[in-house]
Amino acid sequence: WDETHFGKMGSYYINRTFFFDVHPPLGKMLIGLAGYLSGYDGTFPFQKPGDRYEQHNYVGMRGVRLCRLLSSWLAVLCLSVQLLELSKSLPAALLTAFILIFDTGCITLSQYILLDPILMFFLMGAVLSMVKCNSCADRPFSASWWFWLSLTGVSLAGAMGVKFVGLFVVLLVGLNTIYDLWDLLGNLSLSLVMFGKHLLARVLCLIVLPLALYTAMFAVHFAVLNRSGPGDGFFSSAFQSQLIGNNLHNVSVPE
C-alpha cells in the first residue's frame, strides 16, 4: 500500500500536480526526481496495491537509482561510525555492517518506492557527522570541524524533510550538543568570548542551517507543484488562485 501511495506522490511531482500529504516533501521529491531521470512519464495511476506496471518505466523510482543506492550506503556509513569513531574495532564494525547488509527488512525496503531507505540514510549520516565532529573537538574551528558540524545540520534537515520521525535524531544531536556546551562552560581555561563563538557556531550550523534548508524544501515543493490537483481544498482561496487549472486561477481574491 505504501508503494502505491508514495509512487502516486512521485507522479504528482513529475506532472506538477498539487497534492496534500502528512509527510514533508523531500523524500517524495527525490522519488519523483529519480523517476523523471530514469524515463518515467508519471502516467501510471497507482490506484491499488498489486497493479502491474506493464510498459511503465518504474525501475528508477522503485530502487535501482534511489532507494537501493541509498540503502547500499547504509552499511558504509555504519561501518565508518563503528570502525573509525566508536568501537575502534574492525571485527565489531564488520559484524555490524554484515548484519545490516543481510537484514531482510532492509533488503525488502530497498526494493520498493518507500521513504524509509531515504530516511535511514539521512539518520545515519547525521549520526556519523555528529561523531566525526566530536572527534575534531581538539581542533575547534578547523576546516574539518566546520565541515562535519555543517554536514550534521544538513543531515538533520534531510531527516526532518523526509519524515517527522527524523525529530528523534534531532533530539540525539541536541542532547549531544548540550552536553558538549556544558563541558565547554566548565572549562575554566576557556574564555567567555570563545565559549560564545562555540555557541554561535552550533546555533548557525545546527539550528539556522537546518531550518533554512527545511524551508527551502517547501519553497521548491510549491514552485514545482503549480497545477491544480487533489490537495487544493485544504488551502485558502488565495492559494488556489495561483494554481493552473483551478476554478479560481488568476481570480482576484480579497485578503
Side-chain angles (χ1 to χ4, degrees), residues 26-93:
L26 179 60
K28 293 166 293 186
M29 284 195 294
L30 290 176
I31 289 173
L33 178 62
Y36 176 77
L37 294 178
S38 61
Y40 171 60
D41 57 7
T43 58
F44 186 73
F46 286 101
Q47 291 181 343
K48 65 180 184 297
D51 286 346
R52 293 185 178 275
Y53 288 104
E54 302 296 347
Q55 77 280 5
H56 294 278
N57 189 359
Y58 65 93
V59 177
M61 293 176 67
R62 205 174 203 191
V64 173
R65 294 181 183 269
L66 181 64
C67 293
R68 190 169 298 173
L69 175 64
L70 296 183
S71 294
S72 66
W73 274 95
L74 288 178
V76 178
L77 295 176
C78 186
L79 185 66
S80 300
V81 171
Q82 288 285 333
L83 174 61
L84 298 178
E85 305 303 333
L86 296 180
S87 68
K88 305 295 184 182
S89 170
L90 179 59

Side-chain angles (χ1 to χ4, degrees), residues 199-222:
L199 178 61
L200 180 61
R202 285 159 176 79
V203 169
L204 289 176
C205 293
L206 301 180
I207 298 179
V208 177
L209 178 60
L211 286 178
L213 292 175
Y214 187 77
T215 305
M217 295 172 197
F218 279 94
V220 175
H221 169 79
F222 288 117

